[in-house]
Amino acid sequence: MNDWPDRRTGDRSERYGRGSAAPQPEGARSMPHIQRRPAPPQRPQVPPRRPQVPPQSPGYDDRYQDGGHQAGGYGPEPGYDSGYNTGQVYGSGSGGSGGRRGGGDGGYVQGRPAPDWRRRIKLGALTLVVVVLAVSVSTYFWADSKLKREVDLSKVIERPESGDGTNYLIVGSDSREGMSAEEKKRLRTGSAEGKRTDSMMILHDGSNGPTLISLPRDSNVEIPTFKGSESGKTFQGTGRQVKLNAAYAEDGPELLVRTVEFNTGLRIDHYVEIGFGGFAKIVDAIGGVELDIPKAFKDKKSGADFQAGKQTLNGEQSLAFVRTRYAFAGSDLDRTKNQQKFLAALASQTATPSTILNPFKLYPTMGAGLDTLIVDKDMSLWSLGNMFFAMKGVTGGEGTSMNMPISGSIGSNLVWDKAKVKQLVQQLNDGEKVTVKGD
């Protein structure tokens, strides 16, 4: 008789179940309602190999799938747990290695975010702009403090009307202020007291392009009625005829401006003066000025001794070059041409990126020039810069350089051609192309 339910047979003592003392585990119970799959066919024995774990998506576990066993024949049976752990972290828990942690969706989150290069570039550019602005502003105020605004053009009376553009009166004086005895000897300036004008030029910067007009110091001019720069007293004009440089010697820059305006009819907007020492220092600060001298000349008084051809002049040589007059047949007229040539070359070689963008050249050059410049009270650094670049433009193909038209002479004084001077001034005031020619 079968004592077991569900048609189970067998001797209970021959079975090995849970809790039995037999050394072998209990066999699987017979469960008719569960169909066991047939055992897979036996394959030849091969050396064991490490199972290849396919890439897993987060939260995926092949231990609960039987595909690996069916496909390769070497995987565990369905539901079998071998205890093998690949190190993968599943689910939403935290942990892992390599500075990572599991995200809530099973993905990976970097412990250190990638750098934001766009933000870094913006911050770098902003920092650069701030630094450039700070340097520019400090440089401006430093340079502005160097200017000697000593000439008061408001003291000039009976002034002509303004025309097109801006007119600068540029004066090179023989001032020896600030020069040592050794410098005076080296530069051959002598030790005369006071100061006189060694060169005078009008630089017009207008819509017709820059025009540089030399005023020979021996020009015959009339001293008009003027107001004393120091006393404020009015001195009536008597028709006196003198050399132009005598006006400067008599009452300084204000009378010189008044005399130029009276004899030309051209209004002077700004006044700029530089002495011997400052001129030489500027040239040395930029490393010299290259000139092409067409013909050799020598002058004992100025110390000039030049060969023909291209050469670089230092401060001492440059001063000798612009002062020489006795070595030329045209005397002062030839000297003014050399002065124009040199100043244009100086401006052209100074207003370059290699000087402006190089603080080791820019600051010494500005320091040397600004320390010795005397300007009018209304002169700004902006106006001074415009003057400098207009001077450079004279040799840039768009400008004109000339002497004041001369009609003859009275003794040693040069007489201006009044008709040509009037036409020249009219063209400048109207912004027209200059067609008047000077000697």
Side-chain angles (χ1 to χ4, degrees):
M1 181 176 179
N2 187 355
D3 296 332
W4 297 95
D6 300 330
R7 298 183 298 279
R8 298 181 184 175
T9 61
D11 187 357
R12 184 175 181 181
S13 62
E14 295 176 356
R15 294 174 55 243
Y16 300 90
R18 291 182 176 87
S20 73
Q24 296 182 5
E26 179 183 13
R29 294 180 179 180
S30 173
M31 303 181 71
H33 63 283
I34 298 178
Q35 299 295 326
R36 292 179 61 94
R37 294 177 182 175
Q42 296 295 325
R43 291 176 178 246
Q45 293 293 327
V46 294
R49 61 178 180 178
R50 186 175 182 178
Q52 298 295 322
V53 180
Q56 303 292 321
S57 62
Y60 179 87
D61 191 345
D62 66 346
R63 292 177 295 167
Y64 301 100
Q65 303 294 332
D66 60 352
H69 175 76
Q70 293 176 349
Y74 296 95
E77 293 185 1
Y80 175 79
D81 186 0
S82 65
Y84 177 79
N85 191 348
T86 62
Q88 182 77 33
V89 178
Y90 303 100
S92 59
S94 62
S97 60
R100 300 170 182 252
R101 60 179 180 175
D105 58 354
Y108 294 99
V109 178
Q110 290 286 352
R112 187 175 185 179
D116 187 346
W117 288 108
R118 181 176 297 179
R119 183 171 179 270
R120 290 188 179 185
I121 291 173
K122 287 181 179 179
L123 288 176
L126 180 61
T127 302
L128 179 61
V129 170
V130 171
V131 171
V132 170
L133 285 176
V135 172
S136 300
V137 171
S138 61
T139 298
Y140 179 89
F141 284 106
W142 168 79
D144 188 73
S145 67
K146 292 281 187 178
L147 286 177
K148 298 179 180 179
R149 297 182 173 93
E150 300 177 359
V151 179
D152 189 357
L153 296 183
S154 66
K155 296 179 180 179
V156 180
I157 62 175
E158 301 177 18
R159 310 195 68 186
E161 294 293 328
S162 297
D164 175 80
T166 304
N167 300 309
Y168 303 85
L169 181 59
I170 304 172
V171 175
S173 75
D174 62 359
S175 172
R176 297 149 178 89
E177 183 179 355
M179 296 176 63
S180 64
E182 182 180 351
E183 288 175 327
K184 292 177 183 178
K185 181 178 180 181
R186 178 173 59 85
L187 298 176
R188 296 173 180 263
T189 63
S191 300
E193 295 297 328
K195 58 182 181 179
R196 287 151 291 278
T197 54
D198 209 50
S199 61
M200 290 161 283
M201 301 179 186
I202 294 174
L203 175 63
H204 171 81
D205 183 21
S207 57
N208 57 337
T211 303
L212 185 62
I213 308 165
S214 286
L215 310 175
R217 72 174 193 172
D218 293 337
S219 297
N220 191 79
V221 295
E222 179 183 340
I223 299 294
T225 298
F226 70 96
K227 182 184 290 187
S229 59
E230 296 294 335
S231 65
K233 181 181 177 180
T234 298
F235 296 88
Q236 294 296 327
T238 61
R240 284 188 299 137
Q241 303 288 317
V242 297
K243 291 183 178 181
L244 182 58
N245 64 341
Y248 182 92
E250 186 173 332
D251 198 46
E254 287 85 356
L255 180 54
L256 177 61
V257 171
R258 168 71 175 133
T259 302
V260 170
E261 290 186 342
F262 177 81
N263 286 269
T264 63
L266 186 69
R267 185 184 180 95
I268 300 300
D269 299 295
H270 292 293
Y271 177 91
V272 181
E273 177 185 328
I274 187 168
F276 282 161
F279 181 83
K281 287 178 181 178
I282 291 176
V283 175
D284 286 335
I286 66 170
V289 174
E290 184 180 55
L291 275 184
D292 188 1
I293 301 177
K295 185 179 179 180
F297 65 90
K298 190 173 183 179
D299 181 24
K300 290 183 179 181
K301 291 190 175 182
S302 67
D305 187 3
F306 298 103
Q307 301 298 317
K310 285 187 178 182
Q311 49 204 289
T312 299
L313 278 57
N314 60 24
E316 179 182 349
Q317 294 170 323
S318 299
L319 188 58
F321 181 83
V322 299
R323 293 182 62 206
T324 299
R325 62 183 298 194
Y326 296 105
F328 308 123
S331 188
D332 203 34
L333 290 177
D334 286 341
R335 176 169 68 171
T336 56
K337 293 177 182 178
N338 279 345
Q339 290 171 348
Q340 291 177 351
K341 180 178 181 179
F342 183 87
L343 289 179
L346 174 63
S348 179
Q349 294 173 38
T350 303
T352 61
S354 62
T355 298
I356 296 175
L357 300 179
N358 184 354
F360 297 102
K361 292 186 69 175
L362 176 63
Y363 284 93
T365 302
M366 293 179 67
L370 297 175
D371 275 340
T372 57
L373 281 181
I374 297 175
V375 299
D376 64 272
K377 293 184 180 296
D378 295 327
M379 174 70 84
S380 66
L381 282 177
W382 179 261
S383 297
L384 190 62
N386 286 340
M387 183 201 79
F388 200 70
F389 280 96
M391 182 77 74
K392 179 181 179 180
V394 171
T395 57
E398 68 220 38
T400 302
S401 60
M402 58 184 292
N403 277 322
M404 188 64 80
I406 304 296
S407 62
S409 61
I410 299 176
S412 60
N413 293 3
L414 299 173
V415 179
W416 293 351
D417 188 322
K418 293 184 178 181
K420 288 186 176 181
V421 170
K422 184 178 180 180
Q423 183 183 3
L424 172 62
V425 171
Q426 189 68 42
Q427 291 176 342
L428 294 176
N429 282 333
D430 293 344
E432 299 175 358
K433 182 180 180 180
V434 174
T435 60
V436 177
K437 302 297 181 183
D439 296 329

